[in-house]
Structure formats: structure tokens, C-alpha cells
Amino acid sequence: MGSGGEGSVRDAADKYRSLLQDELEKNTHWRHGGPPTYDSVNQLFEEGRTKEWPKGSLEETVQNAVKSWEMELSHKTRLKDFRTINPEKFKLIVNGREGLSGEETLKLGSYNALLKSSLPEEFKYYKAEEESFESSHDAFRSAFPRGFAWEVISVYSGPPEIAYKFRHWGFFEGPFKGHAPTGEMAQFYGLGILKVDESLRVEEAEIYYDPAELFGGLLKGPPIAAPSSHACPFSH
């Protein structure tokens, strides 16, 4: 889903997304005018990760590659500017559904692409087909103001078919779809398979996870009262 981190546009050095530094001189089209910064979510990641992989290890390489892919998907507007995937061949398959092309994934955005599924009936309040790229990102930015961190838990096989387990987490500290924040951690685990070419560009990405794990945490918050009754304490 991605280690979401929005911020001001400035020098883009990032130790987990090194290709950001290379992008400064390029004619890349950015969704928000320039490359993003990830200071807040990087801090969340460093404070909450359960594994610290050795520099140059396969696990660190996979972790940084996925973070870079999520950055491109969330912040670039043209597929031809992507460097982490093979645009002609790319397919995203989530929980065994029909694969999405690169253009389809870019149009939907990472959250909608991952949540566009047959969710259990009690979670139907999030309807990916009714959310735009921006509205979906706004909803999760609101719920997780410090970002939504992502780490590799283990890697089972190396290129050309990389299989790995991941963890995604954040602190539910802002309102989400009419639910008040609880301040608690919301997290889920999943499995991924990346088929890559000789340049390590992704040609096919398969993701498997249980959306109920994520939404269970977000539904714990009580419904927010109508503004007329009293001022909402969460709208800083």
C-alpha cells in the first residue's frame, strides 16, 4: 500500500528511496509540483520496525525497492517516468484478482488498487470504485497523520521471482470516514511476489493480505458526533 509520506518539496535525499536523489535533474512530472519528503514516516519506520536488515542484503534491497515503487506510484503522474517497473509489461494482482496494468494502477492510486476487492460486507463503507486517487490518499493521510510505515519481515527467494512477507503499520491518530481516532496502532501483514527483469524492474507484482486486519483497527473508533453538538476535538 505504501509507506505514505507527504511533505514539503525540497532536497529529496532519502536513505530508503535513493532514486529520489537522481530525479532532481530529470524532467519528471510530479503530482504535487516536486519530489516528496518522507521525514515523518521514516521516523515512524525507524521507531517501529521489527527488523533492521544489513546494508546491501537482499532483504534491504527488496524493502527499499518496494518503498521506491510506492513513491513513484503515489507521486509521479506519467508511467514513462517510472524507473522501478517495466511499463509495457507491468501487472498488479491483489488477492488473486484480475491483474491491473501500469496505467490502471496509476489512475486508481495505490490504496484503491489494493482495496478494490470483494471486501467483507461490514467493510463496504470503503468503496474503492467511488474513491478518486486524491480522495483515497486524503482518507488515509487523515487517519495516519505520521504516515503508514512498511517493512520487509522476510524474503523467501531472490530474483527473478522475489517472494517476501511484509508488515504495514501506523497510528490511528486522525479521523477516518466518520470514525474518531483511537490513538492505537493499526497494522496488517501480507505476502508479495515480484517478477523482475534483468534490470530488477518489476514486470508483475502479486500482493496477498486480509483487508479485515487493517479495517478492524480503523472501525474501533466511535462515530464522530455531528459538528452542531460540540466542536470536534480532533480537527486541529
Side-chain angles (χ1 to χ4, degrees):
M1 203 155 297
S3 38
E6 314 298 332
S8 56
V9 174
R10 59 165 177 77
D11 176 69
D14 188 299
K15 56 187 163 182
Y16 306 115
R17 302 164 187 84
S18 58
L19 66 79
L20 260 177
Q21 193 62 31
D22 306 332
E23 295 287 329
L24 293 177
E25 306 302 318
K26 297 184 185 299
N27 186 30
T28 300
H29 285 210
W30 296 100
R31 191 170 296 277
H32 303 290
T37 61
Y38 283 87
D39 298 347
S40 178
V41 78
N42 284 350
Q43 184 181 343
L44 181 68
F45 166 73
E46 287 166 4
E47 290 171 354
R49 61 186 164 186
T50 60
K51 308 277 186 182
E52 191 162 355
W53 301 112
K55 196 160 179 57
S57 64
L58 178 60
E59 290 86 355
E60 191 220 29
T61 302
V62 171
Q63 183 167 266
N64 291 354
V66 174
K67 287 178 188 286
S68 295
W69 171 50
E70 184 280 330
M71 177 277 296
E72 291 194 307
L73 185 55
S74 295
H75 294 280
K76 293 183 177 182
T77 58
R78 302 186 304 184
L79 209 60
K80 70 177 190 177
D81 291 333
F82 280 46
R83 297 170 58 202
T84 57
I85 68 169
N86 179 331
E88 289 76 37
K89 294 188 176 181
F90 181 78
K91 251 192 174 31
L92 173 64
I93 299 161
V94 180
N95 289 340
R97 296 196 314 272
E98 186 182 344
L100 296 169
S101 69
E103 287 292 354
E104 288 170 322
T105 306
L106 180 59
K107 185 180 175 188
L108 284 169
S110 52
Y111 289 114
N112 281 339
L114 289 161
L115 295 169
K116 188 177 161 56
S117 64
S118 48
L119 286 169
E121 203 54 48
E122 66 266 31
F123 302 134
K124 287 292 187 188
Y125 68 91
Y126 186 93
K127 297 178 171 63
E129 64 276 8
E130 293 177 11
E131 299 282 348
S132 69
F133 183 109
E134 291 298 343
S135 72
S136 65
H137 279 252
D138 288 346
F140 284 93
R141 268 201 301 268
S142 165
F144 301 120
R146 286 192 276 160
F148 201 23
W150 189 94
E151 70 171 335
V152 159
I153 297 293
S154 51
V155 176
Y156 305 113
S157 61
E161 201 157 311
I162 303 164
Y164 60 93
K165 182 179 181 180
F166 66 86
R167 170 179 170 250
H168 222 329
W169 77 98
F171 286 90
F172 182 21
E173 295 168 330
F176 180 79
K177 296 285 182 186
H179 286 263
T182 62
E184 295 176 7
M185 182 191 289
Q187 66 176 347
F188 68 91
Y189 291 83
L191 298 171
I193 302 166
L194 301 178
K195 294 177 183 171
V196 299
D197 64 17
E198 61 281 352
S199 305
L200 295 182
R201 294 184 308 165
V202 179
E203 295 185 338
E204 193 172 288
E206 288 185 66
I207 309 289
Y208 296 91
Y209 78 105
D210 179 3
E213 239 189 308
L214 167 63
F215 284 114
L218 294 175
L219 281 176
K220 281 183 187 173
I224 296 171
S228 54
S229 56
H230 60 273
C232 175
F234 305 106
S235 54
H236 299 300

